Amino acid sequence: MPEERTSLAETIRATIEQEILSGKLASGAQLDEQQLLSRFSVSRTPVREALIRLASAGLVDLVPRRGAIVSAITLREYVAMSEILVQLEALAAQLAARRITESEREALREAYAACQQAAAQASADRYREANDGFHAVIYEACRNEILSAQIRTMRARMRGMRDYRFEKPARIRASLEEHGAVMEAILRGDEEAAARAMVEHISTGGNVYADMIASMPDEAVGAKAPR
């Protein structure tokens, strides 16, 4: 049935997208069609439809004779996406300040507490996970599924780059302080302050790196990002 096939394709697409977003599937990873058929217990049609949708979103490349491969991006593309992501994240924070529910307020406080615990441990991996959780609450609270999907898709495409943001304890401490400013602005319903705090948070983590790469000659940044 067409509706059932569409549902299967969407389930497969969403599952693979989440695995790319989480880093389980790194850039350059090959998606073997036979393995996908076995894993999801489906025919070729929904698998191929799912891969086409992922390709349309820029998450995979469909390469002749090689099949589907998780997309890699150039360093300059990474910088360009970072500059767009700042504005999308700021809008999400602004809308969250306007629309957040009581249960989401508590969830945001809990996500911030998780960031505090990870920061106290000075663990880059733990803080990276807690950071993702903090932002996820804001995406939910903004009540704009299209915006949230755009942010998640862009972040998924950027996952191929090694994330060095939290390798230094000083950056973790700074990020935690920035999270506090974002949270307080959202909780008091100050839309403009929430957007400003989010711009500062996202920009601070990437400006130096972005400016360095953006100023490089084309031949230095044209290669695909490290896998």
Side-chain angles (χ1 to χ4, degrees), residues 50-93:
L51 294 176
I52 289 171
R53 295 179 190 182
L54 289 165
S56 296
L59 297 179
V60 305
D61 296 321
L62 300 179
V63 183
R65 295 184 297 279
R66 291 189 61 193
I69 298 173
V70 178
S71 297
I73 60 174
T74 67
L75 295 176
R76 182 154 285 161
E77 286 170 339
Y78 183 91
V79 170
M81 290 179 190
S82 296
E83 292 172 344
I84 295 170
L85 185 64
V86 171
Q87 301 306 318
L88 296 180
E89 292 269 11
L91 179 57

Side-chain angles (χ1 to χ4, degrees), residues 161-190:
M161 289 289 291
R162 177 73 172 90
D163 189 349
Y164 290 104
R165 289 173 300 162
F166 305 125
E167 297 299 325
K168 294 183 178 180
R171 179 55 203 147
I172 292 178
R173 293 192 296 270
S175 175
L176 180 65
E177 184 176 342
E178 292 155 12
H179 278 180
V182 171
M183 179 181 69
E184 291 301 328
I186 290 176
L187 293 180
R188 68 174 181 266
D190 191 332

Side-chain angles (χ1 to χ4, degrees), residues 1 26 34 63 71 83 107 110 121 134 149 169 182 195 207-208 222:
M1 296 175 61
Q34 289 298 326
V63 183
S71 297
E83 292 172 344
E110 291 176 357
Q121 297 170 351
F134 180 84
V182 171
N207 266 349
V208 173

Side-chain angles (χ1 to χ4, degrees), residues 1-226:
M1 296 175 61
E3 290 185 4
E4 181 180 0
R5 187 181 69 191
T6 299
S7 178
L8 287 171
E10 178 56 25
T11 298
I12 296 167
R13 183 210 62 78
T15 301
I16 295 174
E17 180 184 276
Q18 181 56 38
E19 291 177 351
I20 295 173
L21 179 61
S22 68
K24 185 176 180 179
L25 286 173
S27 65
Q30 187 161 4
L31 301 175
D32 183 86
E33 186 175 293
Q34 289 298 326
Q35 290 181 358
L36 293 176
L37 294 178
S38 176
R39 175 184 177 185
F40 293 102
S41 301
V42 295
S43 66
R44 280 186 169 81
T45 300
V47 167
R48 289 178 176 175
E49 288 183 1
L51 294 176
I52 289 171
R53 295 179 190 182
L54 289 165
S56 296
L59 297 179
V60 305
D61 296 321
L62 300 179
V63 183
R65 295 184 297 279
R66 291 189 61 193
I69 298 173
V70 178
S71 297
I73 60 174
T74 67
L75 295 176
R76 182 154 285 161
E77 286 170 339
Y78 183 91
V79 170
M81 290 179 190
S82 296
E83 292 172 344
I84 295 170
L85 185 64
V86 171
Q87 301 306 318
L88 296 180
E89 292 269 11
L91 179 57
Q94 178 182 343
L95 293 176
R98 183 190 310 171
R99 299 169 177 172
I100 192 168
T101 65
E102 285 304 317
S103 62
E104 288 163 348
R105 288 173 178 271
E106 183 59 29
L108 189 61
R109 294 188 184 99
E110 291 176 357
Y112 179 71
C115 291
Q116 287 179 308
Q117 293 174 3
Q121 297 170 351
S123 169
D125 289 338
R126 288 181 180 275
Y127 191 82
R128 193 174 292 112
E129 181 179 353
N131 176 73
D132 288 346
F134 180 84
H135 285 268
V137 175
I138 295 173
Y139 305 155
E140 187 69 23
C142 81
R143 293 289 181 286
N144 188 315
E145 293 182 0
I146 294 176
L147 174 60
S148 298
Q150 288 293 323
I151 294 174
R152 293 180 190 279
T153 297
M154 187 165 292
R155 283 195 173 275
R157 293 191 66 192
M158 296 168 70
R159 283 288 181 178
M161 289 289 291
R162 177 73 172 90
D163 189 349
Y164 290 104
R165 289 173 300 162
F166 305 125
E167 297 299 325
K168 294 183 178 180
R171 179 55 203 147
I172 292 178
R173 293 192 296 270
S175 175
L176 180 65
E177 184 176 342
E178 292 155 12
H179 278 180
V182 171
M183 179 181 69
E184 291 301 328
I186 290 176
L187 293 180
R188 68 174 181 266
D190 191 332
E191 298 177 32
E192 292 186 4
R196 286 197 306 270
M198 185 61 83
V199 167
E200 182 175 352
H201 171 52
I202 301 296
S203 297
T204 300
N207 266 349
V208 173
Y209 181 65
D211 289 344
M212 177 186 72
I213 300 219
S215 64
M216 289 180 178
D218 289 343
E219 59 270 20
V221 298
K224 291 296 184 180

